[in-house]
Amino acid sequence: MAPPLLLLLLLRFFSLLPPAGGRGELRAFVVAHSHMDVGWVYTVQESMHAYAANVYTTVVEELMKGKQRKFIAVEQEFFRLWWDAVATDTQKQQVHQLLQEGRLEFVIGGQVMHDEAVTLIDDQILQLTEGHGFLYETFGIRPQFSWHIDPFGASATTPTLFSLAGFNAHLISRIDYDLKADMQKNKKLQFVWQGSPSLSERQEIFTHVMDQYSYCTPSQIPFSNRSGFYWNGIAAFPDPPKDGVYPNMSLPVTDSNIHLYAKTMVANIKERAAWFRTSDVLWPWGCDKQFFNASVQYSNMDLLLDYINKHSDEFGVTVQYATVGDYFQAIYSRNLTWEIRDSQDFLPYSTEPFQAWTGFYTSRSTLKGIARRASSLLYAGESFFTQYVRKHPASSICKCGALKQLQSLRWAVSEVQHHDGITGTESPKVKDMYMNNLMYGIFNVKKLMASIIFDMNNAKKNGEVYSSVYNKDSGIPVAISGLSYRKYSIKALNGKQSAFIGRSVKYKQKDITRADQESQQLLPVVNNCYQVLFDQNTNLMHSITERETNQTVQLTQEFLEYHVNGDVMKGPISDNYLFAPNASAVPVSKAVGLEVVFGNLMTEIRQYFYSNVTAQDYIYAVYTRMYTVPEGYDGKLLCHRIEQEYSVGPLELNREAVLRTSTNLNTRQLLYTDSNGYQIQKRAFKAYMNNTVARNYYPMVQTAYIEDDTTRLMLLAERAHGVSSQGNGQVEVMLHRRLWNNLQWDLNYNLTLNDSSVVRPVIWLILGTKDVTNVLYRTSGLALEHRPVVMFGALSDKPKLPRQLQQNSVHGSPVTVPPNLHLQTLSIPGWRYSSNHAEQVHNVHMGKQKQGDADFSRVLLRIRHLYEVGEDPVLSQPVMVNLKSLLNGLGSVILVEERSLTGTWDVNTLKRWKWKTAQYPSKGFSNTTETSENSIVTVHPKEIRTFFVYFQGQ
């Protein structure tokens, strides 16, 4: 959610206009909604107590009182908490009835309204699947429309995601202010979006961009100094007022003011109608934390709508309560031909010239990192548990308890994808809530994985038995195939030489302001793939040579800080959301220390950046690691990466820290960044009248690169960052932010981002030709995202051989896919719904949908093609996969059902609306998935295919 001063656009009042464009009577669809942030300023628990539970309790009650009334529900986390802990049996029956009547509609249906800039596609799918599974299991319904009204910019991945989930239309709001103004003026706020260049029309979706009033009802009314149309006022924290009187309650509708209310509403409807092509007007009624007293809301709006409809000849407008589905159905039935938008996204997002929402790409870096590590652990835990259940059906571990452990992390990872969660735009106490929930889920899943290991090894459970370890001073190389588990017995060699000896060399600290460029001395660090040279006059990196092609790129790295203003009286400010630098970035160090640790498996170069030559402490450091792969191991990925770990902080107040990498590549200031780890966006540098630096920052979720005609420098990240190319041959990554400002709104809600932490992000550098990096970066990105889970424990069985390292493969054949595919999901979701829709609807109707334990027989499998059409001559080809052979290590596959992205549709029955375009002039239904026969599927570039798999003996 954003500051009100950025949202509240004053309603312009003017004499009643003739119906827009001479299209006859206007029809306004009044969509009642409450935007309920899963976090942001208040914790979920505080919100449930203050208003969220009352939203569903009172809305359900009021909908039952008037057959014309409707409401849309969005975030499932709040609804599920209400359903499980608050709702009575009567209210639950009423919800079922309202859904059947189409008067309550779930839109999006995910656990949260996920952020689109800094989230990974895997986690977007997870939170959507969590919500959809609950809705289908409980009600037999499947959301078909989006309502992405508040994420700060719109990604091109999202329309593809929602298409694959079976949605018929997509709705967004926050796009760049000047672009929205232009689209409004030219009636281009609606289009068919082909978000993926490879999937194009097969997964396109009709998209509606909200006009300048966005998702909140215009609140300024000319006859009152209170807000209009918000009759229940503003939610009060921490407790609802006992007398029911809330702040800023709108004037009740009376005989004396109803005509004034009607004129105000009709004027706004007509203003909006002029920006769209049809006479159907979407009129959102609601805003943040609304409808906690639905009685006063509906009783006033009933009167107003009745009055306007009785005077429709005078006003030229009819009004009706509606759902989002009602509105899109009306647009679809118009049978118009729509323009196509290609795969370009709507990022970055600015609300005015000095308000570029590019700071949140980096805000709360630690939370961003923990969220991604939790996600990676969850996928490891899911696949481990799935294999365990399949191979050990008579196990001693309680499967229901194990599923609850996994569900705790599913819930936490889903929750933090909220657009005020992983973005870092929440208050400190809400950040703590996310962190606590993530750590609780991480603990549960690690505990489950340890229990599985013990059960499979029949080991003693004595005390603390597991931990994740990275030790810089020891190392034993091992090779582990995909989705497999290995056990190693390790014992100390008493008094003998360690398995890994490092030789540390410390170099003299250098004053980089007085470096002697004439007598340059270069220190080489070499492995089989790269030679990296360090300038001993400055202790900075000098160049990298890719050894196979002997291509050398001049490359230096330095830390800089953007200084930002914290006083609103002195100009634009930076905050959790916004980045508004005062000037160009300033170098932070005048002296650099250097230490190199040489070893057989790894060489680590440690650089310490000091503010001046006499400083003893540093707040910036880089640890660069290059790996040497022993013979007998496939080390292509390991050899071809230069791993860098940064230590940054604590920063001074109102500083934004970046690492700038400068090369001699002629990049023409073009930057490429990934879209949610799914596809790549080309980012040309744009000059603006104001705030050019900030408006040329983009989100890097997993990948960014620069290139010239022959050579590419790639950066792979394990958390999201802001990234930019502020000069030819340059790429800079924002690593950390610490801010304070005196904007009263920020102070009131503790949203000033005074983050005094030290952050330690990791980035892998890959340098090479475009062909070589194309092959490497997809799998390398996955290797960074899904690093092996290492656990240590005391096992009962003794090593049989007197070896330092004994290997015991507990699993038989690993589950591996071709190099251009990614096995994205292998899990047991546990949902109890029937795959047959008619049967599921019948079960819900008969009240049988929740009987029995979780379903452990159904395995959810997702496979993703990593490459775009034409990206690589070999890897971009379609791939044929025999699912029975692929999963042979788990048992004998007897049935495979292909499903929609979140599992709730059988793809053979999924018929999405096909919108008319100049490219495809006929309207109809879209069903373009090649369904599998005999468990053999062909996966085309960028496809994500989802299956339910059943095995013999289940």
Side-chain angles (χ1 to χ4, degrees), residues 336-625:
L336 298 181
T337 300
W338 300 97
E339 285 190 4
I340 292 173
R341 180 180 178 85
D342 64 13
S343 58
Q344 190 60 42
D345 62 12
F346 291 98
L347 290 164
Y349 162 62
S350 294
T351 39
E352 56 183 76
F354 282 103
Q355 291 182 336
W357 294 48
T358 56
F360 80 88
Y361 302 158
T362 305
S363 295
R364 299 204 190 283
S365 176
T366 300
L367 176 63
K368 285 174 165 65
I370 292 287
R372 287 274 283 275
R373 297 307 296 140
S375 166
S376 174
L377 178 69
L378 175 62
Y379 286 102
E382 296 274 18
S383 63
F384 199 36
F385 177 65
T386 303
Q387 294 175 79
Y388 172 70
V389 169
R390 286 295 317 125
K391 295 186 170 193
H392 301 265
S395 62
S396 64
I397 292 176
C398 170
K399 289 189 289 191
C400 290
L403 191 60
K404 283 180 178 161
Q405 289 174 304
L406 287 168
Q407 285 169 337
S408 70
L409 191 52
R410 289 179 193 170
W411 186 286
V413 173
S414 296
E415 177 184 74
V416 79
Q417 307 311 314
H418 171 61
H419 58 269
D420 280 303
I422 197 167
T423 51
T425 53
E426 64 283 298
S427 65
K429 66 180 175 182
V430 174
K431 180 262 295 181
D432 292 341
M433 176 197 77
Y434 293 130
M435 290 288 271
N436 290 340
N437 291 346
L438 287 166
M439 297 311 290
Y440 175 71
I442 286 170
F443 173 81
N444 281 335
V445 171
K446 283 189 173 182
K447 189 175 177 184
L448 170 61
M449 294 177 79
S451 299
I452 291 173
I453 292 168
F454 274 122
D455 190 63
M456 290 191 303
N457 290 282
N458 197 19
K460 293 177 185 172
K461 300 184 173 124
N462 51 349
E464 284 295 303
V465 295
Y466 53 87
S467 63
S468 297
V469 168
Y470 169 68
N471 185 340
K472 294 175 185 171
D473 300 317
S474 66
I476 301 165
V478 296
I480 304 175
S481 300
L483 283 187
S484 65
Y485 157 74
R486 303 274 177 153
K487 183 187 77 175
Y488 299 93
S489 301
I490 304 173
K491 69 174 184 175
L493 293 174
N494 297 327
K496 295 185 182 177
Q497 189 182 47
S498 168
F500 186 97
I501 291 293
R503 180 171 57 90
S504 174
V505 180
K506 289 188 178 177
Y507 295 84
K508 188 179 175 184
Q509 186 190 93
K510 294 298 168 71
D511 182 346
I512 58 176
T513 63
R514 297 184 171 189
D516 181 2
Q517 296 303 319
E518 299 299 318
S519 60
Q520 205 170 48
Q521 288 184 293
L522 300 177
L523 169 70
V525 181
V526 183
N527 70 1
N528 291 336
C529 298
Y530 298 115
Q531 173 180 269
V532 180
L533 296 180
F534 288 84
D535 184 345
Q536 291 190 274
N537 287 329
T538 60
N539 287 338
L540 295 174
M541 195 179 287
H542 171 271
S543 62
I544 302 175
T545 301
E546 204 278 316
R547 295 183 64 189
E548 189 174 342
T549 60
N550 207 29
Q551 175 86 19
T552 298
V553 173
Q554 305 296 315
L555 188 149
T556 59
Q557 293 182 310
E558 61 177 337
F559 288 107
L560 303 100
E561 288 177 347
Y562 287 101
H563 293 202
V564 296
N565 170 49
D567 185 349
V568 292
M569 303 306 292
K570 293 181 180 176
I573 58 163
S574 278
D575 65 9
N576 298 40
Y577 309 88
L578 309 176
F579 175 37
N582 290 344
S584 299
V586 179
V588 298
S589 61
K590 294 180 178 173
V592 179
L594 180 67
E595 177 184 3
V596 183
V597 182
F598 297 93
N600 293 332
L601 297 177
M602 181 185 77
T603 299
E604 180 170 272
I605 304 98
R606 303 170 182 174
Q607 293 166 287
Y608 310 103
F609 293 76
Y610 298 92
S611 57
N612 58 65
V613 289
T614 60
Q616 298 295 307
D617 299 318
Y618 56 87
I619 59 171
Y620 290 92
V622 183
Y623 304 91
T624 302
R625 302 179 189 113

Side-chain angles (χ1 to χ4, degrees), residues 561-757:
E561 288 177 347
Y562 287 101
H563 293 202
V564 296
N565 170 49
D567 185 349
V568 292
M569 303 306 292
K570 293 181 180 176
I573 58 163
S574 278
D575 65 9
N576 298 40
Y577 309 88
L578 309 176
F579 175 37
N582 290 344
S584 299
V586 179
V588 298
S589 61
K590 294 180 178 173
V592 179
L594 180 67
E595 177 184 3
V596 183
V597 182
F598 297 93
N600 293 332
L601 297 177
M602 181 185 77
T603 299
E604 180 170 272
I605 304 98
R606 303 170 182 174
Q607 293 166 287
Y608 310 103
F609 293 76
Y610 298 92
S611 57
N612 58 65
V613 289
T614 60
Q616 298 295 307
D617 299 318
Y618 56 87
I619 59 171
Y620 290 92
V622 183
Y623 304 91
T624 302
R625 302 179 189 113
M626 294 171 63
Y627 295 92
T628 303
V629 183
E631 286 195 23
Y633 290 89
D634 178 9
K636 190 166 83 167
L637 291 184
L638 193 58
C639 176
H640 273 96
R641 69 174 180 247
I642 298 170
E643 178 180 303
Q644 291 195 315
E645 180 180 345
Y646 313 103
S647 177
V648 180
L651 302 178
E652 293 180 38
L653 269 179
N654 290 326
R655 300 287 187 267
E656 316 217 15
V658 302
L659 178 81
R660 180 176 292 167
T661 301
S662 302
T663 72
N664 62 343
L665 298 175
N666 180 22
T667 62
R668 300 179 294 281
Q669 224 167 330
L670 271 177
L671 174 68
Y672 297 82
T673 67
D674 72 310
S675 201
N676 311 108
Y678 178 66
Q679 60 194 39
I680 297 293
Q681 293 276 337
K682 183 178 179 180
R683 312 293 194 183
F685 190 87
K686 297 174 186 173
Y688 295 94
M689 289 284 289
N690 300 297
N691 216 16
T692 293
V693 170
R695 294 185 76 176
N696 279 283
Y697 256 80
Y698 297 92
M700 169 177 72
V701 178
Q702 203 172 48
T703 308
Y705 64 86
I706 55 174
E707 63 183 17
D708 64 10
D709 294 336
T710 60
T711 305
R712 180 181 288 167
L713 174 67
M714 305 211 68
L715 284 66
L716 301 176
E718 38 75 79
R719 70 188 71 181
H721 300 277
V723 63
S724 185
S725 179
Q726 296 288 332
N728 187 32
Q730 284 183 1
V731 58
E732 68 182 45
V733 180
M734 188 176 287
L735 299 174
H736 200 9
R737 317 177 74 217
R738 185 180 182 186
L739 307 167
W740 185 89
N741 65 73
N742 59 5
L743 179 66
Q744 196 58 48
W745 188 88
D746 278 341
L747 295 175
N748 289 347
Y749 293 120
N750 200 4
L751 292 173
T752 56
L753 199 67
N754 187 359
D755 184 350
S756 59
S757 66

Side-chain angles (χ1 to χ4, degrees), residues 207-334:
T207 303
H208 171 105
V209 182
M210 283 187 155
D211 58 50
Q212 69 185 44
Y213 292 105
S214 193
Y215 64 86
C216 289
T217 313
S219 62
Q220 304 299 315
I221 52 176
F223 52 90
S224 170
N225 59 0
R226 299 192 215 168
S227 295
F229 310 101
Y230 297 113
W231 292 286
N232 60 194
I234 298 170
F237 287 80
D239 301 306
K242 289 185 169 56
D243 59 3
V245 177
Y246 285 81
N248 201 25
M249 296 173 76
S250 300
L251 280 178
V253 175
T254 62
D255 289 345
S256 62
N257 67 21
I258 193 167
H259 189 71
L260 295 172
Y261 257 121
K263 280 178 65 177
T264 301
M265 185 171 178
V266 167
N268 184 251
I269 289 167
K270 291 189 172 184
E271 183 183 13
R272 288 176 136 153
W275 298 326
F276 293 91
R277 292 178 57 197
T278 78
S279 55
D280 311 297
V281 181
L282 177 66
W283 205 78
W285 175 36
C287 196
D288 290 47
K289 308 177 188 68
Q290 284 294 303
F291 284 87
F292 47 84
N293 181 354
S295 172
V296 68
Q297 290 282 85
Y298 282 109
S299 60
N300 281 280
M301 188 59 91
D302 284 352
L303 297 172
L304 186 53
L305 299 192
D306 286 346
Y307 183 87
I308 292 172
N309 287 333
K310 283 174 182 168
H311 298 83
S312 59
D313 290 344
E314 173 191 346
F315 289 127
V317 169
T318 62
V319 287
Q320 66 189 73
Y321 289 117
T323 64
V324 178
D326 293 335
Y327 172 72
F328 280 126
Q329 181 68 63
I331 300 296
Y332 183 64
S333 66
R334 295 284 179 185

Side-chain angles (χ1 to χ4, degrees), residues 1-2 35 37 113 148-152 173-174 215 419-420:
M1 178 52 209
H35 182 61
D37 285 300
M113 186 184 296
H148 253 224
I149 56 174
D150 202 30
F152 320 133
S173 181
R174 291 183 181 274
Y215 64 86
H419 58 269
D420 280 303

Side-chain angles (χ1 to χ4, degrees), residues 881-920:
V881 180
N882 186 322
L883 297 180
K884 286 186 176 181
S885 300
L886 175 71
L887 300 174
N888 187 47
L890 302 185
S892 178
V893 173
I894 56 170
L895 178 64
V896 174
E897 300 171 343
E898 182 154 12
R899 309 294 292 184
S900 61
L901 183 70
T902 59
T904 55
W905 290 88
D906 176 343
V907 292
N908 296 302
T909 63
L910 175 55
K911 302 262 190 277
R912 293 175 56 241
W913 294 353
K914 185 76 180 170
W915 297 73
K916 277 175 63 175
T917 62
Q919 191 177 349
Y920 292 94

